[in-house]
Amino acid sequence: MGPTSRETWAQRLGTFRASPSTFMAGPEGEDLGRHLLSDLRSEKLSEPTKVSLVALSLEYPAQLWPDAPAAEVAATSLLDTLVLLPPRPSALRRPLLLAATTALAAGGALGPTSRASRRLLPLLLGLASGRDLGRSFGPASEQRPLQATAWECLRELESCKPGLLGGCLGLLRGLLGQEAAVQPLSLLLALALRNALVIQARARAGLQGLLVAGDCPTEGGPWNWMLAEEGDAHLQPQAPSWPAAEEGECCLATLELSPEEARELRAAVAQLLDISYLLTPVAQAQLLWLLGWALRGLRGQPPVLFKPQLVRLLGTAQLTLLHAVLALKAAFGEALFTAQDEALLLRRLILAAQHPALPLPAHLFYLHCLLNFPENWPLGPAGEEAAPLLLGSQLCRGLLPSLLHDPMALLARLHLLCLLCVEDEEKEEKGQDQSPRQYLEELLAGLRQRAALDGGPRALATLCFQASYLVARCLAGHPVVLTPLTHGLAQLYRARPALAPHFVDLLDRVGPELGEPLKVVLRQEVVSRPGRDEALRWHLQMLARVADGDAQSATLGFLQVAAARCTDWGLQQALLQVCRALLRAGVGGGLADLLQALARQLEDPDGRDHARLYYILLAHLEEPKLGVALGPSLAAPALASSLVAENQGFAAALMVQEAPAPIRLSMGPHRAKGPVPVLQLQVEVLEQVYSLELRFRVERQLYAPLGAVHVPCLCPGRPTRPLLLPLQPRRPAPARLAVRALYTTPSGLTCHAHLPPLLVNFADLFLPFPQPPEGAKLGFFEELWDSCLPKGTESRLWCPLGPHGLEALVSRHLEPFVVVAQPPTSYLIAIRLPPDSRLLLRLEAAQADGVPVALRTDDWAVLPLVGDYLRGLSAAG
Amino acid sequence: MAQRAVWLISHEPGSPLCGTVRFSRRYPTVEKRAKVFNGASYVPVPEDGPFLKALLFELRLLRDDKDFSESRDSCSHINKTSIYALPIGGEELWPVVAFMKNGMIYACVPLVEQTLSPRPPLISISGISQGFELLFGVQGFLYSGQKNDSELNTKLSQLPDLLLQACPFGTLLDANLQNSLDSINFASVTHPQKQPTWKAGTYKGKPQVSISITEKVKSMQYDKQDIADTWQVIGVVTCKCDLEGSMPNVTISLSLPTNGSPLQDILVHPCVTSLDSAILTSSSIDAADDSAFSGPYKFPLTPPLESFNLCYYTSQVPVPPILGFYQVKEEEVQLKITVNLKLHESVKNSFEFCEARIPFYNRGPVTHVEYKVSFGQLEVFREKSLLIWNIGQKFPKSMEISLSGTVTFGAKSHEKQPFDQICIGGTAYLKLHFRILDYTLTGCYADQHSVQVFASGKPKISTYRKLISSDYYIWNSKAPAPVTYGSLSL
């Protein structure tokens, strides 16, 4: 395929930029990268077109060459194109250098095994350091911009692969003294220095002469990848955010520098700072962030090196410079800024936050900095916005909000004002000055007045509610502020009921300190003066949010009057919403009358049905259930009839629902007493439940059906008594009990859950015989022993003994059933097996590893169970 | 400390999308770092389309605001800085630095070199201030000397090349894009050593230095017992130094006459090499006293090639240049107004122009005006509900002039008449516009002897001064007026 024409490319690039993903998914997507590279060498395309192609590759290398091998191929091709350019001036050289660098760095191909990397790095270093690279690198006029570009490319590569230029620190330092390209060189040196320090600290090595070494690879020579390989695992933040940096800094403290290395390092930093004035302000700021955080935590590197720069920097209006000073402040604190310096910095910040010569976004950012000011000795909790200690209301006078401010500025300044009000209340009221609190009240009143303006833009109303929310949040514990605010908002509602959605939103978001009183006054506001017709909609919306059990008669009275005026579907629904809110709140009698009336009188059938449904619910459900049934429905109501949507909610709320088990049951210790075996069940409570009913089903009907166990209430964390479950075995055999739980949640839902089955072991059924009187024991046993035959059966077993011997085994497992004991060698044991079997054991002549057991039972079916039981005893310990 | 992407978006309220992306630039190497640093909290930079939509919505520029929309109008959705979180495809892109100026939206996404959950405080992210500088730089370039749309389009078309120079990999090298443009043009000149980066080349030609001081005065006058009037002077000193040599040293001094008002809140250009601590500490934050530093204000510097703002200052002069009162009384369908203005005797009575604009907001069109002026002429703009009292070049000998009259309004129709969120009910103002050449209110001046140049040749030094009004309001004293904290606490 031949080269594409200029027009085709222009059109193709346009389509690509409009949506790269769509383009790449289309028919031309796959080959775009390849075509671009080949057409860069076409002689038919003009230079501007080629520049636009390279520009595309600068922005979208990941789309053009999606993996590392493709990126490697692309970088190689770009470098070939660069080398093949004729020696006349060309606008392509700089972009090609940038593009090759971008392709390698963004494509993840940069590394010692990449041929393109091995070509690009020495080329860049050669161009940057002004080495003669022959005529192929264009006319002399292009050398200077190419040189600066090469430095920038190297810096980007060092950013993406920290340590890459660690071997060139000495060379860079040497060049800094002579080179014209002060800025790119300074920034690269600072970055490479910082990265080298961090990597060496991680490896617990010193600087190892890196700062003075002058050997650097020439073209074709091997590049030193050692430091980059070591640093590879960790991309280095160049200007880490403070909290993160503070965590990572222990790393630098481990760096051991020899006195000579420390001196060299200091000299390098001082050299960089001395010429920093020659850099553009943004570059100066970068240098300060880099060096500040490079030296923080490093032993023997005093921050006073920065001091000479500070006065000059504090005088400027440049956002980046003042920000960099704040970063130094955060990095070094008192070590660089005395209390006086701190006060001066704070003043400059206050000044900058209100200086008429600066733009609004800068003001707002400075205000943010003020409330997050890195104080030498912060008092409040970290990470929370607060006014610095030195910032009194006197200093803040110019930073307080007024109605003339832009909304963002007003809110930011309002926040500060709220913080001052808190402080102000803590201090004594001052005489002549107007208190910030009064000012706050007047400001809020002004905002409300604007919001009340009929037909005014919604943004004004939004601003008023944002301000009210902010005040309610900052001054929640200050009724002296909240009371007038509550009444002011009620007045605002009276003036403009159309703001009801804003009020509902505010009530949903503020805490009870403002929310509760506001609810009360708004309800009064609505029910005390039946609104004009157009306001009725808003009144009903408002009432649906604020109606509760209080002031029932007034509310119901209002609704009765309103019902007559609810002529359209929307109003009727709004009215029913209020009824619904009242139902939830547990309002009874009067509401039933109203609902009945509505079910007859509403014009709309949907409305009538709705009213009837509510009436039925009210008549048939008890209060808590009603609350849950009418609670917010999880099902998104997407249906035309609100009744159907609502029914979905009820279905969920009124039916018994399957739920994960709220408790965990386990077998407690065996109780060997009483007429029947009784299981002791231990309960672990996972969530709070009420009216718990546990139902048990015996598998294979081995026992008689079991009664349910009832527990009124269970709370997690509160101790519970074990539950007793009497068993009535039909046969003496182990069994599985299936368990279900039926209960009510704290929110009133009825749920049921399947619990894991419980296993009743053979031994759980053991009961002792009544103890015969002393002296008659042996006879009692022998009588039992003899009675087993001939109906029953006799057997002999070997019971293995654990290390503790027979005595321990008996005392642990068989104690309640022992009739005659002659420790440590002989025990006669009688066990009752409900319903009416017996098991008799003679344990005699115990040996070291076991005891022979003679047994008799009147139920031959238990023999295998006994065998298993006895053999299991030693294992059970 | 780098940017992941930059956008320029023109806000077009009538169009279907409400805006167009005029320029965008992505930085893939930075994006790759963002992916590593942000880890699980990484959100990729979106394509232009989704970004445009999300940003316009967040800035409340997308739709009309007839109905309450929770995601936009909720009271807890509070932005106190120009830094936003944009919901895009179920995730939130943060931090997005964005602001609108002259119908153009400037936006960028700075790199954050750590995880984004929890979000680190903005103050600790170096890319934030850099992003702002980049956007301010682009804005400054687009609007410096720009007069019409075609010039704007030319400048927009230069942006890709300029950013390739000033921000090739997403790390900003120079916020002064004009300087980048110059350095492309100066590229052929070989530089001597130690040329500042912010100086693209060297000047060849006749040495000359020009210094111009522009003061703006703003005021809020209430004519009320319990509210103090306020006024403030804001000065800017603009210089252009055409001097040979790579780093000529210049010291410019600003002086005050004996009764001059001290300069405060001084912010200097970064080319100023050192600052007297008295300059650094003289501030309007502190209560005024007689010991305030009153100059001369010396600024040693190495000038850049282009014209630059040497410093900004504010000052508190003892009296406002024009003191006035404005009274409005509502009488059925008409308003009865009275205005009185008095020029202070110390002020130079020679204006380039001077006029009072008297707007009437939130009312219908003016249907009838009856008036009497002691001086000057009154123009009536009926549809705009505006009166302009043209005072001319000079106040009369008495220094005091007055206007009284009645204004009648027609029925209010929302579309045509101006709306104002402040002027509700009786709240109303008049605004003064005036300019006086060769004069400063503080008295601040720079004369030929105050400039020292350490460079070859004796330069020609020219100095200029002017005073302009800015936000000079006189409020109706018969109704409430918006006040600042300063007006109440005096």
Side-chain angles (χ1 to χ4, degrees), chain A residues 277 280 323 347 415 458, chain B residues 66 80 129 172-173 271 286:
Chain A
Y277 168 75
T280 62
H323 195 194
R347 276 157 179 274
H415 188 190
R458 183 165 301 278
Chain B
K66 210 166 107 276
K80 294 182 290 176
S129 55
L172 184 61
L173 307 178
C271 74
D286 304 296

Side-chain angles (χ1 to χ4, degrees), chain A residues 19-21 58-61 94 98 101-102 105-106 108 141 144-145 152-153 155-156 159-160 178 180 183 235-244 275 277-282 286 289-290 311-312 314-320 323 326 344 347-348 350-351 355-359 361-362 364-365 368-369 372 374 385 395 397 400 402-404 408 411-412 415 433-434 436 439 442 449-450 453 456-460 462 465-466 469-470 501-502 505-506 509, chain B residues 1 24-26 28-30 32-33 36-37 47-48 60 65-68 70 72-84 99 112-114 120-126 128-130 132-133 136 164-165 168-169 171-175 183 187-189 191-194 196-198 218 220 232 234 247 265-273 275 279-281 283 285-286 301-302 312-314 419-422 424 475 482-486 488-490:
Chain A
S19 173
S21 56
L58 282 173
E59 287 193 66
Y60 297 98
R94 284 192 63 239
L98 298 172
T101 305
T102 303
S141 64
R144 206 186 68 83
E152 288 308 327
C153 290
R155 177 151 72 108
E156 196 60 17
S159 299
C160 292
Q178 321 149 14
Q183 176 165 309
L235 204 50
Q236 299 302 329
Q238 298 179 15
S241 309
W242 305 334
I275 52 172
Y277 168 75
L278 299 175
L279 275 51
T280 62
V282 286
Q286 287 166 45
W289 279 87
L290 274 172
V311 170
R312 179 174 71 79
L314 279 178
T316 74
Q318 293 278 330
L319 191 62
T320 39
H323 195 194
L326 286 168
L344 177 63
R347 276 157 179 274
R348 291 302 288 187
I350 295 169
L351 185 161
H355 203 289
L358 300 180
L364 296 176
F365 183 66
H368 166 87
C369 293
N372 291 272
E385 295 207 322
L395 290 180
R397 289 157 53 102
L400 296 186
S402 100
L403 288 179
L404 298 166
M408 273 205 286
L411 290 171
H415 188 190
D433 258 21
Q434 204 205 11
Y439 185 67
E442 280 167 31
Q449 194 190 17
R450 283 183 356 185
L453 202 60
R458 183 165 301 278
L460 283 184
T462 304
F465 283 90
Q466 286 173 327
Y469 170 78
L470 197 61
H502 288 272
D505 173 61
L506 181 70
R509 287 165 209 281
Chain B
M1 67 193 91
S24 74
R25 173 79 158 94
R26 284 162 177 73
T29 50
V30 183
K32 193 178 161 70
R33 296 206 291 275
V36 176
F37 283 128
E47 293 185 358
D48 287 358
R60 297 166 180 267
D65 61 356
K66 210 166 107 276
D67 292 317
F68 177 83
E70 190 180 308
R72 177 195 59 203
D73 299 321
S74 172
C75 60
S76 60
H77 188 79
I78 293 179
N79 244 335
K80 294 182 290 176
T81 58
S82 314
I83 291 139
Y84 303 86
F99 58 85
V112 182
E113 297 178 305
Q114 66 162 78
L122 294 172
I123 188 178
S124 71
I125 304 171
S126 64
I128 297 281
S129 55
Q130 192 191 67
F132 272 121
E133 294 280 12
F136 292 151
L164 207 58
Q165 191 83 21
F169 286 110
T171 306
L172 184 61
L173 307 178
D174 192 353
S183 73
S188 55
V189 184
H191 275 252
Q193 279 185 19
K194 290 232 171 167
T197 316
W198 34 265
K218 58 179 186 178
M220 295 281 249
Q232 189 186 29
I234 304 132
M247 281 186 74
D265 303 343
I266 300 169
L267 301 175
V268 299
H269 191 271
C271 74
V272 173
T273 48
L275 264 188
I279 294 181
L280 203 58
T281 51
S283 154
I285 298 167
D286 304 296
L301 59 111
T302 301
Y312 301 94
Y313 61 83
T314 71
F419 171 81
D420 187 86
Q421 53 189 33
I422 303 285
I424 302 165
W475 293 92
V483 290
T484 57
Y485 188 66
L488 294 173
S489 52
L490 284 174

Side-chain angles (χ1 to χ4, degrees), chain A residues 255-598:
Chain A
L255 190 66
E256 292 282 352
L257 295 182
S258 69
E260 196 167 323
E261 281 175 339
R263 201 165 48 244
E264 282 297 330
L265 179 61
R266 229 173 4 249
V269 171
Q271 190 186 9
L272 283 169
L273 288 173
D274 279 349
I275 52 172
S276 66
Y277 168 75
L278 299 175
L279 275 51
T280 62
V282 286
Q284 288 182 44
Q286 287 166 45
L287 192 78
L288 292 172
W289 279 87
L290 274 172
L291 295 180
W293 287 95
L295 295 197
R296 187 195 148 117
L298 203 60
R299 266 180 273 166
Q301 298 297 328
V304 291
L305 286 173
F306 293 96
K307 205 123 199 174
Q309 307 295 329
L310 289 181
V311 170
R312 179 174 71 79
L313 297 172
L314 279 178
T316 74
Q318 293 278 330
L319 191 62
T320 39
L321 289 179
L322 203 46
H323 195 194
V325 173
L326 286 168
L328 288 178
K329 176 79 172 60
F332 298 114
E334 216 180 9
L336 184 56
F337 290 80
T338 61
Q340 286 84 357
D341 295 339
E342 183 176 53
L344 177 63
L345 176 55
L346 200 58
R347 276 157 179 274
R348 291 302 288 187
L349 203 54
I350 295 169
L351 185 161
Q354 58 183 302
H355 203 289
L358 300 180
L360 175 67
H363 284 169
L364 296 176
F365 183 66
Y366 286 134
L367 261 176
H368 166 87
C369 293
L370 210 51
L371 295 188
N372 291 272
F373 187 74
E375 293 180 271
N376 282 351
W377 299 104
L379 279 183
E384 232 172 67
E385 295 207 322
L389 203 60
L390 290 170
L391 189 75
S393 57
Q394 180 64 27
L395 290 180
C396 284
R397 289 157 53 102
L399 285 177
L400 296 186
S402 100
L403 288 179
L404 298 166
H405 284 120
D406 164 279
M408 273 205 286
L410 188 138
L411 290 171
R413 287 163 168 246
L414 181 66
H415 188 190
L416 180 67
L417 176 59
C418 289
L419 294 173
L420 289 180
C421 285
V422 176
E423 274 182 20
D424 191 60
E425 212 155 86
E426 286 161 9
K427 290 178 202 155
E428 277 178 275
E429 292 273 333
K430 274 168 274 172
Q432 69 267 43
D433 258 21
Q434 204 205 11
S435 87
R437 186 168 54 73
Q438 279 169 303
Y439 185 67
L440 175 70
E441 260 167 45
E442 280 167 31
L443 183 80
L444 289 172
L447 284 170
R448 287 194 294 267
Q449 194 190 17
R450 283 183 356 185
L453 202 60
D454 219 12
R458 183 165 301 278
L460 283 184
T462 304
L463 180 63
C464 170
F465 283 90
Q466 286 173 327
S468 306
Y469 170 78
L470 197 61
V471 170
R473 211 187 54 187
C474 295
L475 298 167
H478 299 254
V480 68
V481 176
L482 294 189
T483 308
L485 177 60
T486 310
H487 291 292
L489 285 169
Q491 260 178 13
L492 172 60
Y493 181 73
R494 190 183 314 153
R496 203 177 168 200
L499 297 180
H502 288 272
F503 279 97
V504 172
D505 173 61
L506 181 70
L507 284 169
D508 285 344
R509 287 165 209 281
V510 292
E513 297 86 352
L514 178 66
E516 286 306 319
L518 184 59
K519 232 170 91 172
V520 173
V521 295
L522 284 174
R523 188 179 53 228
Q524 278 168 359
E525 204 56 55
V526 172
V527 300
S528 62
R529 53 196 105 217
R532 291 160 295 158
D533 282 348
E534 69 257 42
L536 184 58
R537 176 160 85 96
W538 303 121
H539 288 331
L540 291 172
Q541 188 181 357
M542 196 72 230
L543 210 49
R545 176 66 180 79
V546 298
D548 56 21
D550 300 339
Q552 292 179 17
S553 62
T555 309
L556 289 170
F558 173 84
L559 291 177
Q560 264 147 9
V561 175
R565 286 188 290 146
C566 289
T567 44
D568 70 11
W569 185 84
L571 282 176
Q572 292 175 11
Q573 291 300 319
L575 179 70
L576 287 162
Q577 285 296 318
V578 185
C579 295
R580 188 193 160 109
L582 290 172
L583 271 178
R584 286 194 68 189
V587 174
L591 183 60
D593 296 342
L594 176 67
L595 285 171
Q596 256 184 325
L598 290 179

Side-chain angles (χ1 to χ4, degrees), chain B residues 99-227:
Chain B
F99 58 85
M100 183 157 96
K101 185 91 190 180
N102 301 327
M104 192 69 93
I105 302 161
Y106 302 80
C108 63
V109 182
L111 170 71
V112 182
E113 297 178 305
Q114 66 162 78
T115 172
L116 300 179
S117 73
R119 288 177 185 167
L122 294 172
I123 188 178
S124 71
I125 304 171
S126 64
I128 297 281
S129 55
Q130 192 191 67
F132 272 121
E133 294 280 12
L134 171 61
L135 300 180
F136 292 151
V138 172
Q139 185 211 330
F141 170 73
L142 290 184
Y143 286 92
S144 66
Q146 180 245 330
K147 288 172 199 76
N148 54 41
D149 274 1
S150 75
E151 277 181 52
L152 177 68
N153 287 333
T154 312
K155 292 201 164 184
L156 276 171
S157 69
Q158 289 173 317
L159 267 186
D161 272 353
L162 280 181
L163 281 199
L164 207 58
Q165 191 83 21
C167 192
F169 286 110
T171 306
L172 184 61
L173 307 178
D174 192 353
N176 183 347
L177 296 191
Q178 191 61 45
N179 191 37
S180 297
L181 190 62
D182 294 343
S183 73
I184 295 177
N185 301 335
F186 271 103
S188 55
V189 184
T190 33
H191 275 252
Q193 279 185 19
K194 290 232 171 167
Q195 171 89 15
T197 316
W198 34 265
K199 193 171 174 186
T202 46
Y203 173 80
K204 291 263 181 290
K206 262 173 75 175
Q208 49 191 350
V209 172
S210 127
I211 302 165
S212 103
I213 304 173
T214 305
E215 285 186 352
K216 286 183 179 171
V217 57
K218 58 179 186 178
S219 180
M220 295 281 249
Q221 297 180 20
Y222 302 97
D223 185 31
K224 283 187 181 176
Q225 285 289 320
D226 50 346
I227 305 177

